[in-house]
Amino acid sequence: LGPILAAGPMSSLAESNQANWRTFFICLGLIGTSLTVLVFLLVQNKQKNDHFKLLSKVHSLKIGIFQLIREKNVWLIGLYSSLVYFSLQYLSENEGKRYIELQGFSPIFSSYMISIAWLGYAIGSPILGLISDLLKKRKLIMWVSSILSLTALISIVHFPYSKELLVFWFL
């Protein structure tokens, strides 16, 4: 939620001079403190019975890490996820907002496009994970996702668009 709220809504408030960065951080601190108090008050650590059933043999952490390191698919999925996250992070932190502004859109709208991109990431990742689990075709889902992302990027960079179409491509 941080990047989703930081780009659009916080940028709008800052631009309209309704709040400055100190006000944002004080509000965030109060929200975090409130959530911490709620967790301590509401979350209870109750156990219904004192007996545990082990469903699998417990291995040492060291053995589990070495097994994970040896898996080629883990490395490929990690690399894929890192590249997706890196490109979105770079877009939001460096060039995305400025590029959208240079296309003739307002700074506030440009900030909201960054929020939309993070919202798409937050919603799309679990949905793609669910689809790949249901279909048992992880590679296919990764390829389709990559092709759709490349299509969206090419469309954003090379074709004229309206606000609605830009929201669609960023989502």
Side-chain angles (χ1 to χ4, degrees):
L1 287 177
I4 294 170
L5 294 175
M10 296 297 183
S11 183
S12 292
L13 288 173
E15 187 129 339
S16 65
N17 292 324
Q18 292 179 0
N20 61 20
W21 67 270
R22 284 189 179 104
T23 307
F24 291 141
F25 281 102
I26 289 170
C27 289
L28 290 174
L30 291 172
I31 291 170
T33 302
S34 302
L35 286 174
T36 303
V37 169
L38 284 173
V39 166
F40 279 118
L41 293 175
L42 299 177
V43 176
Q44 298 178 4
N45 200 10
K46 291 183 180 178
Q47 293 179 353
K48 299 204 180 207
N49 57 15
D50 294 333
H51 303 291
F52 295 99
K53 292 181 180 178
L54 295 177
L55 299 177
S56 64
K57 186 177 178 182
V58 178
H59 295 287
S60 73
L61 181 62
K62 187 176 179 181
I63 292 171
I65 289 174
F66 283 128
Q67 286 176 341
L68 196 60
I69 288 172
R70 281 186 258 152
E71 284 291 324
K72 181 180 92 170
N73 287 341
V74 170
W75 285 98
L76 292 175
I77 291 172
L79 177 65
Y80 175 85
S81 300
S82 299
L83 291 173
V84 169
Y85 188 83
F86 169 77
S87 52
L88 184 56
Q89 183 67 27
Y90 184 80
L91 175 73
S92 6
E93 292 292 327
N94 298 317
E95 304 300 329
K97 182 179 177 219
R98 188 173 14 184
Y99 176 77
I100 299 167
E101 287 176 22
L102 288 173
Q103 301 304 312
F105 296 103
S106 72
I108 291 176
F109 178 78
S110 302
S111 297
Y112 273 102
M113 286 303 93
I114 302 303
S115 291
I116 292 289
W118 280 106
L119 182 64
Y121 181 75
I123 293 171
S125 293
I127 290 173
L128 289 175
L130 177 66
I131 292 170
S132 73
D133 284 348
L134 292 174
L135 296 178
K136 304 274 192 258
K137 299 198 179 238
R138 303 205 191 314
K139 210 186 279 188
L140 174 67
I141 299 302
M142 290 170 75
W143 274 107
V144 169
S145 173
S146 297
I147 290 168
L148 288 174
S149 297
L150 184 61
T151 303
L153 182 62
I154 290 170
S155 298
I156 289 168
V157 172
H158 293 293
F159 298 120
Y161 41 79
S162 64
K163 283 186 175 183
E164 294 79 16
L165 195 55
L166 191 63
V167 169
F168 173 76
W169 288 123
F170 268 87
L171 188 59

